[in-house]
Amino acid sequence: MEKLPPPPPPPPPGRGRAEGPQPPRDHRTGGSDGTRRPGRPSTWPRWLLWVVAGVLLATIFIPSLLPDEKGNELDYTEFRALVVDGDVTSVEVNRTSGKIEGELANGEKFFTNGGTDRGLSEDDEALLREQGVKVKFKTPSSNWLLNVLGLMLPVILIIGFFVWMQRRAAGQMGNVMSIGRSRAKAYNTDKPSTTFADIAGYTGVKQEITEVVDFLRMPERFREIGARVPKGMLLVGPPGTGKTLFARAVAGEAGVGFLSVTGSDFMEMFVGVGASRVRDLFQQARKMGRAIIFVDEIDSIGRKRGAGLGGGHDEREQTLNQLLVEMDGFDQRTAVILMAATNRPDILDPALLRPGRFDRHVTIDRPDLEGRKAILRVHARGKPFDDHVDLDVIARRTPGFTGADLANVINEAALLAARWGKKAISMKEIEEAIDRVMAGPERKSRVMSDREKRVIAYHEGGHALVAHVLPNTDPVHKISVISRGRALGYTLTLPEQDKFLMTREELTDELAMLLGGRVAEEIIVGDITTGAANDIERATKVARQMVTEYGMSDVIGPLTLGQKQHEVFLGRDFQSQPDYSDSVAFEIDNEVRQMIDQAHDEALEILQLHRETLDQLAST
């Protein structure tokens, strides 16, 4: 049993390269540390201008808003009574506001509102003079600055509006002018990068790609012997197998400029933008001298031209044409290599795949048993595992899993261990994580009747019993009647080793195994249910492939009938005719039906012969 390596010790603080991306260099203000370039005068920050303007406005407006009151406030009746008693010595009348301020005989200050708009009536003014009160009238002048601001404020607002509109138009014009520039992200050796050491397995793929790295490092060695490095390299494989990861590893190993862009970055609503971005992308690469251009999901712009009813998309085809021209226009002495990744190579344009453009096609398929072990070691690094965790068992338990699937399994197991309060990851969490990745999480909230549970138990027992009895099927690994995702239950069979070829006997036994669940329902329930819908779909697909693709029918013979419909191209296939006659189509249907009936009869015979075993299996 293979043990997991102990987690590596943490790096000492303050040493080594910083984790994570480095801050971008600002070409306007200086280096990445934020310091300004020497010899350039520093400018005042913009916020200081707004602070000064705010202080100035506060100095002007706030004093005029604050109340200017001195002494006690008196009613006008009380003020007149004090005048009659001779207790008032002097008053000051504000002709503008009508406010009266004055001083009593005891030296106290007072103020009151006047009896009229001007402050004093003629009778009260005569009374003051009779009592010998000093009367003074004042007319305060208005603030000239406030008057000027009142007149200039509309003008300032209008000017500010036009300045804002001008700057906005200039910004939009700048965006329009730069819309044809490439959106590629540039990576250099200063940033943390992935290397081939971070990729487990795929020894043959690494060898193919290493030649590209060696050419970028030492191009003279290849030129001396007359070798020409491939201009383009296409990475082909199912999703999740690590195509983009290999491209990042090439950038890290080569130590040259690396431009990364996706196929959708070339497309825009304006005609001609995609071709302009392609030209700008290759110009950037040529300025670097030695560089790699990586285009992810190239099928978005590299589809076959002329697809679609009435022609193709003009903008996409212009972008593809420009890409083809740029790849042909490479100087032989220029070390610029185009790498691309796709999981749909069948829909790419033939002109893009020909030698001289994409000279080398590297297939990155799902990893085999040894590859899965190596990938599991990488993702298990640094995580606490129980002593009973065996990588061999996990690798055999996950046939057909990609690198992304395996990484998800380890991560799901770690999440489950943390959720259940464990300090280490055990095989229980890993088994549950594999089931989650394959069929989804358990649906404990789904309530089923006892009759439905009994039907599901016999259904899965029928699959397992037929698979166990037939000699050419994979061993049964697990039977589950717990609802997961859209499945009410499932039976899992695992091969003892990876298979790349299947015989006719193995496919025939697989058909019987797929129909074992439906046959069990017929025997026990006496009726059929909708639970076998997926089994019937898979069985029909396998039987039709045996007849039309694999040549396993004695009646039809070794013929390929019908083309694989991976993608609909209306402009090419709208009026196409099948490559076989109606009589051959009738024979195909009869052969498929005969294979399904034979598999059904074989499963029925096995389950009737082992009826007691089926009952025991369903009751456990």
Side-chain angles (χ1 to χ4, degrees):
M1 183 175 69
E2 182 175 353
K3 300 295 183 181
L4 292 171
R15 300 185 62 183
R17 188 169 56 185
E19 296 294 334
Q22 300 295 325
R25 179 177 296 275
D26 190 349
H27 297 282
R28 298 171 297 175
T29 58
S32 59
D33 56 353
T35 58
R36 297 183 177 275
R37 290 181 177 177
R40 185 171 182 177
S42 60
T43 58
W44 292 98
R46 294 184 177 180
W47 58 266
L48 184 60
L49 178 61
W50 294 103
V51 171
V52 173
V55 171
L56 181 60
L57 293 176
T59 305
I60 296 173
F61 287 103
I62 291 179
S64 62
L65 300 177
L66 294 177
D68 187 13
E69 301 174 349
K70 299 179 181 179
N72 299 324
E73 183 179 4
L74 299 177
D75 293 338
Y76 191 77
T77 304
E78 296 176 353
F79 163 70
R80 198 173 187 281
L82 290 175
V83 173
V84 174
D85 294 340
D87 293 335
V88 180
T89 59
S90 63
V91 294
E92 187 180 79
V93 182
N94 191 326
R95 292 182 182 275
T96 303
S97 62
K99 186 177 182 181
I100 301 173
E101 297 178 353
E103 184 178 355
L104 299 178
N106 58 5
E108 293 182 0
K109 303 290 185 179
F110 73 92
F111 67 92
T112 183
N113 293 323
T116 63
D117 295 339
R118 297 180 57 189
L120 290 174
S121 62
E122 294 180 358
D123 295 340
D124 293 339
E125 185 177 349
L127 178 61
L128 289 173
R129 295 187 186 280
E130 289 178 1
Q131 296 294 331
V133 179
K134 297 179 180 179
V135 181
K136 181 181 179 182
F137 295 92
K138 69 175 182 179
T139 303
S141 61
S142 59
N143 193 331
W144 65 271
L145 187 56
L146 291 177
N147 295 334
V148 172
L149 288 178
L151 295 175
M152 295 297 297
L153 184 60
V155 179
I156 294 175
L157 292 177
I158 293 174
I159 295 176
F161 175 75
F162 279 106
V163 171
W164 176 76
M165 289 294 294
Q166 183 180 6
R167 291 185 177 180
R168 182 179 178 85
Q172 292 179 351
M173 183 60 66
N175 293 335
V176 172
M177 296 302 294
S178 63
I179 195 172
R181 296 180 181 176
S182 172
R183 296 183 179 180
K185 298 178 181 179
Y187 298 89
N188 50 39
T189 56
D190 296 334
K191 294 186 177 182
S193 56
T194 306
T195 61
F196 286 152
D198 301 321
I199 303 177
Y202 297 107
T203 304
V205 177
K206 290 181 181 179
Q207 184 177 0
E208 293 285 338
I209 300 180
T210 302
E211 295 181 4
V212 177
V213 177
D214 293 340
F215 174 79
L216 293 175
R217 285 178 175 175
M218 300 168 290
E220 295 80 7
R221 188 180 68 179
F222 290 85
R223 291 170 183 160
E224 290 177 355
I225 202 171
R228 180 180 61 86
V229 73
K231 293 181 179 180
M233 177 176 291
L234 184 64
L235 305 180
V236 180
T241 52
K243 299 182 292 295
T244 307
L245 183 64
F246 268 105
R248 291 202 303 264
V250 171
E253 292 283 349
V256 297
F258 186 80
L259 296 174
S260 176
V261 66
T262 62
S264 59
D265 288 338
F266 295 104
M267 308 306 298
E268 196 61 68
M269 63 180 295
F270 302 106
V271 178
V273 172
S276 176
R277 289 179 179 175
V278 171
R279 288 191 296 268
D280 186 70
L281 174 64
F282 281 90
Q283 288 177 3
Q284 293 182 32
R286 294 188 185 99
K287 291 178 181 178
M288 293 181 178
R290 294 184 297 171
I292 297 175
I293 300 175
F294 175 65
V295 181
D296 199 5
E297 302 297 340
I298 195 174
D299 51 86
S300 61
I301 61 171
R303 294 192 180 190
K304 296 178 182 178
R305 289 169 290 184
L309 188 62
H313 192 288
D314 292 337
E315 170 64 7
R316 182 183 58 79
E317 291 192 359
Q318 289 181 16
T319 306
L320 175 59
N321 292 336
Q322 187 63 41
L323 180 62
L324 297 176
V325 171
E326 293 292 340
M327 293 186 70
D328 270 343
F330 278 162
D331 187 356
Q332 296 293 334
R333 297 168 298 176
T334 303
V336 178
I337 297 176
L338 177 65
M339 295 183 63
T342 183
N343 53 13
R344 308 170 70 185
D346 54 300
I347 67 173
L348 295 180
D349 194 89
L352 189 64
L353 299 177
R354 72 164 178 82
R357 291 195 175 106
F358 281 111
D359 304 86
R360 184 170 299 182
H361 299 178
V362 179
T363 301
I364 305 177
D365 207 347
R366 291 180 173 86
D368 55 7
L369 179 61
E370 295 300 325
R372 292 195 297 273
K373 291 181 183 178
I375 294 174
L376 288 171
R377 294 191 199 100
V378 172
H379 293 296
R381 191 181 304 159
K383 294 182 177 62
F385 282 86
D386 189 79
D387 294 337
H388 297 86
V389 174
D390 189 0
L391 291 182
D392 292 339
V393 175
I394 301 175
R396 294 181 184 276
R397 175 76 167 76
T398 54
F401 276 40
T402 64
D405 294 332
L406 296 174
N408 194 18
V409 166
I410 298 298
N411 184 62
E412 286 287 343
L415 293 176
L416 291 173
R419 184 185 306 171
W420 295 341
K422 294 185 176 181
K423 300 297 182 181
I425 304 173
S426 64
M427 287 297 295
K428 179 180 179 182
E429 289 79 34
I430 294 177
E431 288 285 344
E432 175 64 21
I434 295 174
D435 292 338
R436 280 172 169 262
V437 174
M438 292 181 59
E442 295 183 3
R443 300 185 61 179
K444 298 181 179 179
S445 60
R446 176 177 286 175
V447 180
M448 292 184 293
S449 63
D450 294 337
R451 178 179 177 277
E452 290 179 335
K453 293 180 180 178
R454 180 171 177 268
V455 172
I456 294 173
Y458 273 101
H459 182 102
E460 302 302 333
H463 285 307
L465 186 56
V466 173
H468 177 73
V469 173
L470 293 176
N472 298 307
T473 57
D474 298 326
V476 179
H477 178 76
K478 186 176 183 180
I479 306 173
S480 175
V481 293
I482 300 176
S483 176
R484 287 182 178 273
R486 300 176 59 184
L488 300 177
Y490 66 93
T491 301
L492 179 64
T493 59
L494 293 180
E496 297 179 353
Q497 58 184 1
D498 290 340
K499 292 183 178 180
F500 303 97
L501 295 174
M502 294 191 69
T503 63
R504 179 164 59 178
E505 294 181 353
E506 291 175 344
L507 291 175
T508 303
D509 290 351
E510 182 180 355
L511 290 177
M513 189 269 292
L514 289 173
L515 296 177
R518 179 186 174 92
V519 173
E521 294 179 4
E522 296 174 1
I523 296 175
I524 303 302
V525 183
D527 199 356
I528 54 178
T529 67
T530 59
N534 181 256
D535 300 331
I536 297 174
E537 179 183 356
R538 292 169 56 189
T540 305
K541 181 179 179 181
V542 171
R544 185 165 292 275
Q545 287 178 335
M546 293 175 63
V547 175
T548 62
E549 296 182 23
Y550 306 146
M552 294 182 177
S553 171
D554 295 334
V555 176
I556 303 298
L559 297 176
T560 299
L561 302 176
Q563 298 179 355
K564 298 181 181 180
Q565 298 295 331
H566 294 285
E567 185 69 18
V568 177
F569 292 97
L570 293 178
R572 184 190 62 197
D573 299 332
F574 185 71
Q575 295 181 346
S576 62
Q577 299 293 330
D579 55 358
Y580 51 86
S581 62
D582 295 339
S583 60
V584 175
F586 180 75
E587 292 180 356
I588 293 175
D589 294 339
N590 286 337
E591 283 294 295
V592 172
R593 179 61 180 270
Q594 184 178 358
M595 289 182 177
I596 296 296
D597 291 342
Q598 290 178 356
H600 178 276
D601 296 340
E602 187 174 9
L604 179 61
E605 182 181 356
I606 293 174
L607 294 181
Q608 288 177 343
L609 183 62
H610 301 83
R611 172 63 186 274
E612 296 182 359
T613 305
L614 178 63
D615 294 335
Q616 295 176 0
L617 186 62
S619 61
T620 56

